[in-house]
Each structure stands twice: as C-alpha cells, then as structure tokens.
Amino acid sequence: PQRRRPAVGRDQPPRSSRARPPGRRRGEREMAAVEALAASEAATLPGESAGGVDLREIAALLDQLKDESPEKREAAHASLPRIAAALGPARARDELVPFVCDLTDDADRVLLELAAQLANLTNEVGGPRHAHVLLEPLEALCAVEDGRVRGVAVASAVGVCGALPPDSVAAHYVPFAARLGRHDWFTARVSACGCLAAARARLPNGS
C-alpha cells in the first residue's frame, strides 16, 4: 500500500513546514503498529538487555517519534541509530524503516535530523547488503521544498550508495535516482543530479 503523502500539485513539492504533528495525522493502523512496537520493547525485559540497552528508554524514544512537540520529535530522530540497534537488523528493516517512511511530512527541523540520521543506519539494518531499504524514506526527503533538507538527504543517499555492493547499486540505487529524475516535482529532479553522479561513479565503466 502507498504510504507517502498524496501529491499536492504538479511541480509543487510538499510544504513540510505546514505539516501537522504526526500524532494527529497518522492512521490508526500505523499508530497501533508503533505503539505495539514500543510496548513489546518495554515488556521484553524489566531493565537493561544483555547488550546494555535500556529497553524502557527505547520504548520512550519510539513514542517520542510521534510526539506533539517538534523538539521531542527532533530529539527522538537523533536517537534513531540507538533505536535501530536495540531492535536488531531484521526488526529495524521490517518495522522501523517502514514506520520512518510515514514520518517524512514534518517540520523542516525534524526532517533535517531524520535525513542526517538515515545515513547512520547502514550497520543497524544489516550492513551494506540491506542498506538499500534506507533509500525509500530518503526518496521522499529528496523531494521536499526545503533546500537544506534536500541537501542532507542527497548527501545521505550518496553515502548509502557508497556502502552498497555493486549489484545493489544497479538493482536499487540506479532506479531510485531515475525515479527522482522523472518526478513531477522540480525539487526531486534537482536532487536527482547529485544522486545520479554517485551512481555513475559506482557502476562499471561509469555506465
């Protein structure tokens, strides 16, 4: 099912600064999923896990990702690597990243943090072989109106490209960059320029 925000008009990027707090606009299914995720983490152990992770803190951070306060959401996004590490690679890929895809319509300051932290999740989602899953939320961020957010999203996407094995570059990153280049919104097409340069550098003979 399509998770991204509907288009607001041809060649008109989403105005993330007008977004309502995620807790008010997210559907019941998505809200139930993240609440169940937070509850399961809090209930797994009464205190710290064997890896020294306070699961109650992780549950609180998961809840803050949908908080009414932009400051709290921004702080929770800064902790995404910690959240992903606590969940483990499989759950980070299958539960956290899809949920993060629903967080790409927010205040610019929150999206800046999200775009920056996505570049730090390669190991947490299972390493280079699985890092392509991070391209989906980055694709949405590469199309937003704020140029700072787009710049950080492009830099993060280029970083993901650098971590991918060559076959994943061809299978996942090249189609990602091509979609940006064909996007209705000019903001995405601008982002595609920086993303495509990284793809060419990773492909055999720059093809």
Side-chain angles (χ1 to χ4, degrees), residues 26 29-39 62-63 66 99:
R26 207 161 293 135
R29 181 178 59 84
E30 290 83 356
M31 290 291 289
V34 74
E35 287 167 0
L37 184 59
L62 280 166
D63 194 56
K66 58 182 176 64
F99 177 64

Side-chain angles (χ1 to χ4, degrees), residues 150-177:
R150 294 200 311 273
V152 175
V154 168
S156 292
V158 169
V160 170
C161 180
L164 292 174
D167 60 332
S168 289
V169 174
H172 299 288
Y173 188 83
V174 171
F176 152 80

Side-chain angles (χ1 to χ4, degrees), residues 2-152:
Q2 189 75 8
R3 288 192 298 267
R4 294 195 192 88
R5 176 188 180 189
V8 293
R10 187 174 181 85
D11 284 337
Q12 182 181 359
R15 293 191 60 84
S16 57
S17 60
R18 292 183 180 176
R20 291 175 292 169
R24 292 181 180 173
R25 62 180 171 79
R26 207 161 293 135
E28 291 182 1
R29 181 178 59 84
E30 290 83 356
M31 290 291 289
V34 74
E35 287 167 0
L37 184 59
S40 66
E41 290 308 310
T44 301
L45 286 174
E48 293 188 348
S49 71
V53 177
D54 186 338
L55 296 178
R56 289 170 297 188
E57 177 190 357
I58 299 302
L61 289 171
L62 280 166
D63 194 56
Q64 286 179 16
L65 288 171
K66 58 182 176 64
D67 196 271
E68 294 287 321
S69 165
E71 292 79 9
K72 289 185 178 180
R73 296 200 304 274
E74 182 181 10
H77 280 77
S79 298
L80 276 175
R82 181 171 174 80
I83 295 171
L87 294 177
R91 294 189 71 188
R93 292 193 303 271
D94 298 339
E95 299 176 49
L96 183 61
V97 172
F99 177 64
V100 166
C101 289
D102 290 324
L103 305 180
T104 56
D105 184 6
D106 207 329
D108 292 336
R109 59 185 291 181
V110 179
L111 296 184
L112 272 171
E113 191 63 47
L114 174 58
Q117 293 303 326
L118 285 170
N120 300 326
L121 297 182
T122 296
N123 291 333
E124 282 68 24
V125 297
R129 179 58 61 183
H130 298 284
H132 64 271
V133 301
L134 301 172
L135 294 175
E136 183 175 359
L138 286 170
E139 186 172 342
L141 294 173
C142 282
V144 301
E145 183 177 26
D146 188 90
R148 298 167 303 165
V149 176
R150 294 200 311 273
V152 175

